[in-house]
């Protein structure tokens, strides 16, 4: 079987190329794709738990903990502890995090448009549908 006939290979090589391009565009802002995902999730789902965040960005909780600490040090996110259970905390973007989200949103949109520029709107929708179907089937 030819390597380029394997869907897993095609997905992987596409992901590597797209992520490298995305990383290059985010680098001047000291940002990574995963950190961008965290900012994006916290912008739309204010006050979620660390476990919910890990699930939303599809990362292990241990990875998320490290990123939360790093992003907290950069004053991009903050934790607010539960009054009922001090072990539980909720995550929010800080004002600085919200400003970075506003700054990066056009850049992220441009990256998306660059990556999908060869696709029509219909093809892009089909691709998203198919990739979600493959993902959800695993």
């Amino acid at each position: 079987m030819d390597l380029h006939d394997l869907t897993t290979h095609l997905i992987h090589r596409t992901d590597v190329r797209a992520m490298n391009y995305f990383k290059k565009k985010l680098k001047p802002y000291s940002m990574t794709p995963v950190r961008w995902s965290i900012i994006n999730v916290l912008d739309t789902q204010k006050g979620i738990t660390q476990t919910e965040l890990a699930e939303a960005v599809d990362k292990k909780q241990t990875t998320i903990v490290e990123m939360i600490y790093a992003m907290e040090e950069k004053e991009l996110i903050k934790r607010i502890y539960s009054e009922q259970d001090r072990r539980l905390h909720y995550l929010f973007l800080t004002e600085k995090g919200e400003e970075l989200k506003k700054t990066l949103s056009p850049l992220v949109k441009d990256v998306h448009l660059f990556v999908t520029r060869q696709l029509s709107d219909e093809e892009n929708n089909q691709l998203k549908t198919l990739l979600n179907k493959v993902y959800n089937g695993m």
Side-chain angles (χ1 to χ4, degrees):
M1 178 177 266
D2 182 51
L3 187 61
H4 290 79
D5 287 334
L6 296 171
T7 304
T8 52
H9 172 72
L10 294 173
I11 291 170
H12 174 70
R13 78 179 195 155
T14 303
D15 177 56
V16 168
R17 185 171 282 182
M19 283 299 106
N20 285 342
Y21 182 76
F22 194 24
K23 287 175 188 174
K24 185 172 84 174
K25 295 296 184 180
L26 291 173
K27 190 174 182 176
Y29 302 92
S30 300
M31 186 61 43
T32 66
V34 176
R35 288 183 182 176
W36 161 255
S37 296
I38 290 171
I39 286 175
N40 195 51
V41 167
L42 292 180
D43 184 55
T44 58
Q45 300 178 44
K46 295 168 180 25
I48 64 174
T49 66
Q50 179 177 295
T51 302
E52 292 167 329
L53 178 61
E55 189 175 303
V57 297
D58 201 23
K59 293 292 178 190
K60 292 179 183 176
Q61 202 160 343
T62 52
T63 303
I64 293 300
V65 170
E66 294 169 10
M67 291 190 181
I68 289 169
Y69 284 127
M71 293 175 77
E72 211 172 19
E73 282 182 18
K74 293 180 184 251
E75 299 177 349
L76 298 173
I77 63 174
K78 62 184 172 186
R79 289 186 261 195
I80 298 187
Y81 289 88
S82 168
E83 292 178 12
Q84 292 78 26
D85 183 351
R86 293 290 295 164
R87 295 171 295 172
L88 184 63
H89 58 268
Y90 303 99
L91 300 168
F92 296 87
L93 285 180
T94 62
E95 193 173 308
K96 186 176 177 182
E98 289 173 357
E99 287 302 314
L100 185 59
K101 166 80 166 57
K102 287 178 189 171
T103 299
L104 292 179
S105 287
L107 179 140
V108 172
K109 185 176 181 179
D110 287 346
V111 168
H112 168 75
L113 292 173
F114 176 79
V115 168
T116 60
R117 71 189 182 284
Q118 299 294 326
L119 303 176
S120 68
D121 289 343
E122 183 181 339
E123 288 170 328
N124 191 34
N125 288 331
Q126 288 174 339
L127 179 61
K128 288 188 281 189
T129 298
L130 291 171
L131 289 173
N132 280 315
K133 190 173 186 177
V134 169
Y135 179 85
N136 292 327
M138 291 191 285

